[in-house]
Amino acid sequence: MLAGFRSLVRKATSLFGSDESSQLPLEIPRDEHTFSRKNVSPNALKVLYRLHEAGFDAYLVGGCIRDHLIGIEPKDFDVVTNATPEEAHDLFSNSRLIGRRFKLVHVTYGREIIEVSTFRANSAAQQSEAPAKANTSLKGKDTARSTHGILLRDNVYGSIEEDAERRDFTFNALYYNIADFSLHDYCGGLADIEQRQIRIIGDPRQRYQEDPVRMLRAIRFAAKLDFEIEAVTAAPIKEMAHLLDHIPPARLFEEVLKLLGSGNGVTTFKLLREYGLFKYLFPDLDALLDSGWQRKDIQPDAFVIQGLENTDARIREGKSTAPYFLYAILLWPSVTLRHEEFEQQGLPALPALHQAASMVLDNQVASTAIPRRFSTPMREIWDLQFRLPKRYGKRAFTLLQHPRFRAAYDFLLIRELSGTELGGLGQWWSEFQKAPENQQRALINKADARQGDSDTSKPKRRRPRRRKSNSKRSQE
Ligand code: ATP
Ligand code: MG
C-alpha cells in the first residue's frame, strides 16, 4: 500500500518540484492514490453521503487520512463540509451541536462519534481580507483573541483552501472528497509524509502564538508517528513554550492524557522534557527531575519512565488504562518529597501523606486541571502504598476488597521495578492473590514472622497509658 503511495508522491513532486509542491494545491484522482472507502468506517460514509446528497461538499480530513497513508489504523474519522453547523445538525437526528471555541456537530452511532466541522478561514488572514476571500454562502462570523494573541474562538467560515491553511501541520490538511473520491493536498502534506517530517503550515511563531497547544501536538505526532519535527517548525518551540501558561488547565489536562496516555508515553515524555514543554504541564515534577533529587526508596526519573512504560505496554496489549493511574504516577515523586518534609515537621506518616497529597494536587491544578473523580482515586492509590505493607490479622483480606486494590498493587509493582526495595512486598501480594484461603493464612503468618521488617510486622503494642490520678485530674 505504501509503495503505491510512494509512487504517487514521486509523481506529485516531479509535477511541481519539491519546493513548490508545498504551495500548489494537488488533486489526485481516485485511481492514483491508495485511500479508499474500504478504509472508512461505515458510519463516517453515511455522514459523508447524507451531506453530499443534500447538496453540500463533504470530505474526510485530518488524522484518519494521515494515519491510513502511514499504515496506522485511524482512531476516528473527521468530516468537514461547507454546511454550517446548524445545517449539518438539521440533517442528522442523531446529532448534537457542541463547542464554543470551535462550533461543530457530533453525529452519534452507538459508541462511535463522527465529528462534522465547517470549513473555516484562517482568522489572521480573515482580519484583513476575509470578506473578499470567504465563501459567501456561509454565514456566522465569530472570532476572538486573548491579550496574548491566542485564538479564543474561531467560527469564521471559509473555503476549503482557507480551511487547509488554518490547520496545524501539512499532513493534517489532506482531504478525501466523497463526490469523486479524489485526494486533495493543499499544503504539501503527502511530500512531508514521504519524508517522515512534521511541518507546520505557515509561520511557526504566528501559529504557536495563535494556539500554543500546537507545540504539544508537534511532540505528540513526533512520538506517535516516529517522524522528525522539521527544523523551522521545531526552532521556536523552546522559546515559546511559556505560552502554555495561558492555556486553560482543563484543556491541558485533556492534552496530557493524549500525550502520555495513548501508547507512546515514554518517548513523548522525553521529547516534552527536551523541548522545555514539560515544565508547563508538570512544574513540580520538572523541577524535581532537574534537581536530581532522589532517595533510597525512590528514583523519580526511573519511576516515571517505568510507570509510562507500563501504560504504553497495557495499551499495546489492548488493556484499559485509567487517567487517575497515570496522574498518580506523575505526581508520586513530589508526594514522597513533600511527605518527607511533613514528617520532619513532626506529623505521623498518614497525616503527613494527606497533607503532602493536598499540597501537590493544589499546585498541579494550576497547570492542568484534575477532575475530582480522578483526584480521589489518586489519593487512594497513594494511601494504599502505606497500607499494603501492613498485612497482619484480617487486614490483607480487607485490602483485597478495596476498590482501588488492583491499581495500588500495579503501582507497587512499578515502584519495585523502578528500583525501590520493598522486601519482596509485590511478590508477596502476587502470591497472596493466587493462593487458596488456607495458604493465604500461612502467607500472613510468614509476613508476621518477619519481625525485623517493621512494615510487615504487627504494630508494636502500645504500653497502656497510666491513668492520671484523681487529684491531678481535679486540678485541671
Ligand atoms: P488524532 O485524532 O489521531 O490524535 P488528529 O490529527 O485527527 O489526530 P484531532 O485533534 O482529532 O487530531 O484534530 C483533527 C484535525 O483538526 C487535525 O488533523 C487538524 O487538521 C485539525 N486541528 C486539530 N487541532 C488543531 C489545532 N490546535 N490547530 C490547527 N488545527 C488543528
Ligand atoms: Mg482525530
Side-chain angles (χ1 to χ4, degrees), residues 24-39:
L24 290 172
L26 178 67
E27 287 186 20
I28 302 127
R30 68 185 296 188
D31 52 353
E32 289 181 32
H33 65 77
T34 57
F35 193 88
S36 98
R37 278 168 293 168
K38 282 201 283 293
N39 316 124

Side-chain angles (χ1 to χ4, degrees), residues 233-372:
T233 304
I237 293 183
K238 274 190 192 155
E239 184 197 319
M240 297 184 84
H242 66 93
L243 288 174
L244 287 174
D245 266 345
H246 306 300
I247 301 297
R251 186 167 175 219
L252 286 188
F253 175 76
E254 294 299 326
E255 287 303 322
V256 164
L257 298 187
K258 288 193 225 164
L259 282 159
L260 300 176
S262 302
N264 305 290
V266 175
T267 317
T268 310
F269 165 72
K270 289 180 179 166
L271 284 172
L272 287 171
R273 289 267 296 155
E274 185 186 322
Y275 279 89
L277 292 161
F278 195 70
K279 179 175 166 191
Y280 299 95
L281 302 174
F282 293 93
D284 282 359
L285 176 58
D286 194 74
L288 200 146
L289 293 170
D290 283 349
S291 76
W293 177 86
Q294 52 176 295
R295 236 170 34 189
K296 196 162 67 68
D297 63 337
I298 181 164
Q299 285 91 46
D301 203 37
F303 173 73
V304 168
I305 292 203
Q306 190 64 54
L308 292 170
E309 232 161 58
N310 174 272
T311 306
D312 291 350
R314 287 185 70 91
I315 292 170
R316 274 198 302 277
E317 291 158 20
K319 293 186 187 158
S320 66
T321 62
Y324 63 76
F325 191 84
L326 184 68
Y327 262 79
I329 295 277
L330 292 161
L331 300 189
W332 176 248
S334 308
V335 169
T336 58
L337 172 68
R338 300 287 170 220
H339 180 252
E340 180 179 290
E341 290 169 2
F342 281 115
E343 274 197 318
Q344 280 164 1
Q345 289 168 25
L347 280 184
L350 272 182
L353 171 70
H354 298 154
Q355 293 273 15
S358 298
M359 188 184 213
V360 170
L361 285 165
D362 284 353
N363 284 348
Q364 181 59 33
V365 295
S367 308
T368 71
I370 304 178
R372 194 173 292 278

Side-chain angles (χ1 to χ4, degrees), residues 61-64 66-67 75-76 78 101-102 115 166-169 171-173 207 211 213-214 217 220-221 224 251 258:
V61 69
C64 57
R66 176 199 69 218
D67 286 356
K75 201 168 62 122
D76 46 31
D78 296 326
R101 222 175 130 262
F102 296 103
E115 199 165 281
R166 66 107 204 152
R167 290 182 180 270
D168 48 4
F169 304 108
F171 56 34
N172 283 343
R207 301 308 310 282
D211 185 2
V213 169
R214 288 172 186 151
R217 289 174 58 86
R220 178 154 74 85
F221 293 128
K224 168 176 167 166
R251 186 167 175 219
K258 288 193 225 164

Side-chain angles (χ1 to χ4, degrees), residues 28-265:
I28 302 127
R30 68 185 296 188
D31 52 353
E32 289 181 32
H33 65 77
T34 57
F35 193 88
S36 98
R37 278 168 293 168
K38 282 201 283 293
N39 316 124
V40 181
S41 99
N43 294 324
L45 286 175
K46 270 188 227 160
V47 172
L48 289 163
Y49 282 125
R50 177 87 56 88
L51 283 163
H52 179 62
E53 280 154 18
F56 295 109
D57 297 341
Y59 296 79
L60 279 175
V61 69
C64 57
I65 299 181
R66 176 199 69 218
D67 286 356
H68 175 74
L69 292 176
I70 295 169
I72 300 174
E73 174 107 30
K75 201 168 62 122
D76 46 31
F77 293 87
D78 296 326
V79 169
V80 68
T81 175
N82 62 349
T84 62
E86 290 75 13
E87 285 168 332
H89 177 51
D90 286 346
L91 280 180
F92 301 94
S93 58
N94 51 333
S95 73
R96 286 193 309 132
L97 268 171
I98 63 151
R100 237 161 51 94
R101 222 175 130 262
F102 296 103
K103 239 198 243 176
L104 39 83
V105 173
H106 275 178
V107 189
T108 310
Y109 297 92
R111 293 180 66 184
E112 187 178 12
I113 293 176
I114 308 295
E115 199 165 281
V116 180
S117 53
T118 304
F119 294 142
R120 280 180 171 77
N122 182 318
S123 46
Q126 183 271 335
Q127 276 162 5
S128 52
E129 55 182 290
K133 273 178 88 185
N135 181 340
T136 47
S137 71
L138 298 173
K139 312 178 284 281
K141 295 183 176 57
D142 187 7
T143 184
R145 274 167 197 273
S146 76
T147 47
H148 307 285
I150 296 170
L151 217 50
L152 297 177
R153 274 197 303 284
D154 189 7
N155 289 316
V156 180
Y157 305 132
S159 63
I160 187 169
E161 290 86 353
E162 288 167 318
D163 187 84
E165 266 176 49
R166 66 107 204 152
R167 290 182 180 270
D168 48 4
F169 304 108
T170 57
F171 56 34
N172 283 343
L174 296 167
Y175 297 75
Y176 176 72
N177 189 355
I178 201 64
D180 60 5
F181 314 121
S182 61
L183 203 60
H184 295 211
D185 177 8
Y186 294 97
C187 304
L190 289 173
D192 284 329
I193 291 180
E194 174 81 338
Q195 288 167 36
R196 301 185 69 82
Q197 66 178 6
I198 299 165
R199 189 156 56 87
I200 199 146
I201 298 170
D203 173 50
R205 293 178 166 279
Q206 186 192 326
R207 301 308 310 282
Y208 297 146
Q209 186 85 45
E210 276 172 8
D211 185 2
V213 169
R214 288 172 186 151
M215 294 185 276
L216 297 177
R217 289 174 58 86
I219 302 297
R220 178 154 74 85
F221 293 128
K224 168 176 167 166
L225 309 173
D226 191 21
F227 274 30
E228 288 291 318
I229 306 176
E230 170 273 335
V232 176
T233 304
I237 293 183
K238 274 190 192 155
E239 184 197 319
M240 297 184 84
H242 66 93
L243 288 174
L244 287 174
D245 266 345
H246 306 300
I247 301 297
R251 186 167 175 219
L252 286 188
F253 175 76
E254 294 299 326
E255 287 303 322
V256 164
L257 298 187
K258 288 193 225 164
L259 282 159
L260 300 176
S262 302
N264 305 290

